[in-house]
Amino acid sequence: MCFHRFSPYGFKYHLETASSSSQRREDDRITYINKGQFYGITLEYVHDPDKPLKNQTVKSVVMLMFREEKSPEDEIKAWQFWHGRQHSVKQRILDADTKNSIGLAGCIEEVAHNAIAVYWNPLESAAKINIAVQCLSTDFSSQKGVKGLPLHIQIDTFEDPRDTQVYHRGYCQIKVFCDKGAERKTRDEERRAAKRKLSATNRKKLDEIYHPVTERSEFYSMADLSKPPVLFSPAEDIDKLAGMDIQGFYGHDEAALAEAHLKGASPFLLHAAKPQVPALKFHNHFPPDAPAYRSDVGGLSPYSDRKDSLELEGVLGKRARTGTPPLSERVMLYVRQDTDDVYTPLHVAPPTTQGLLHAIENKYKISSSAINNLYRKNKKGITAKIDDEMLAYYCNEDLFLLEVRPAGASEDEPLYDITFVELPLDH
């Protein structure tokens, strides 16, 4: 449960897409968005005559958080589970469009895989950034058809970038869908809302049950400003950065957590000193920090990489580094759809159904949780379910036509059957 506070003054944030029509008033409003699609967030400030801002430039940290109450260890494990299914260590959870932002003072900073930071002048004008969430609400379970987890876009604003205490915290509850699923979910809810109105005997009572739909999704202001956010940065990122100085690890004990909290640091932020010119090559290329700008705003904030941050020992263990897998541990499939002129290579490593699901997810942006069945149709017209042995021994460098057919839907996303139709090599 998140406790709100309301004031007509102060910081206001909006996600620039409509809210749900079927959320009851006793629950927080919810907004549906699509994975990988950019949405605008507007940051505004209404002058409070009784509490004027001390500083012209403020810092706002935009983060993706879990809504459900989890321990910090469980949150890290959930992100680690998601990250382990990605094809690149560089895959971010939260992306920003660095070219189409308005009203910012300086660069957008990468803070963690699930967090970015912006500087802006609220006394001068509103600011707007565009963000994309790269995970699905259903990505945190290996089971199909599981109801997706609600998430929060959370924004922590610091009155002075040097401050360690959050001045204002806001959040917007979201669910993330694939393949335009947000639009489908919205249409379904609109149809249900229309039916409710037709059958309702008391229109006024109906309006009192559900939140009204708004064209922009307003963030709630959160009463709890002291809880440190869990920021996820996998250890491999640090190794990829040239010249990175890794600090020692500390155990996860109550005294250390309390000390970090008092210092304003998130105890779950991976710590390391930044190189002068970091070669950050994320999904969207964040510009390196400008040293002059950093000194202008007065140094690092609690959500920057700090030496006094703590890491959960043992949770962020490094995955074993390997070179190119041997032939026995990978296969290559060449696939195309009816509308394609050229083939797309699918690198399946390991050569298992799970490896194939990940390859499809990577190349075609179909969530593995949305794939109901995988079939292979051979040249004789025989269709069979794909299993690990078929992939490992009978499919390497074969040509396939990829057929994707709807196969019903789970609660939060459609399901598909995918058939690999074998083609002759001279096709």
Side-chain angles (χ1 to χ4, degrees), residues 327 330-335 344-349 351 363 391 395-400:
L327 288 173
R330 58 189 167 97
V331 296
M332 170 85 80
L333 310 181
Y334 297 102
V335 301
T344 296
L346 286 183
H347 303 265
V348 184
K363 287 295 173 76
L391 277 170
C395 293
N396 193 35
E397 298 201 359
D398 284 348
L399 308 182
F400 296 98

Side-chain angles (χ1 to χ4, degrees), residues 80 83 89 234-241 270 317-319:
Q80 195 76 342
H83 187 261
V89 69
E236 288 86 348
D237 272 0
I238 306 304
D239 297 335
K240 295 286 183 181
L241 298 179
L270 191 67
K318 298 178 185 177
R319 290 174 290 184

Side-chain angles (χ1 to χ4, degrees), residues 160-171:
D160 186 315
R162 293 166 294 192
D163 286 348
T164 59
Q165 178 59 45
V166 177
Y167 183 84
H168 179 268
R169 173 173 284 171
Y171 72 93

Side-chain angles (χ1 to χ4, degrees), residues 22 185 187-197:
S22 295
K185 180 77 170 174
R187 286 195 298 270
D188 289 345
E189 288 193 347
E190 287 172 349
R191 283 194 289 268
R192 287 201 293 271
K195 288 179 182 177
R196 285 197 299 266
K197 288 178 182 177

Side-chain angles (χ1 to χ4, degrees), residues 198 206 227 278 292 333 427:
L198 288 173
L206 195 65
K227 180 182 178 181
L333 310 181
H427 199 275

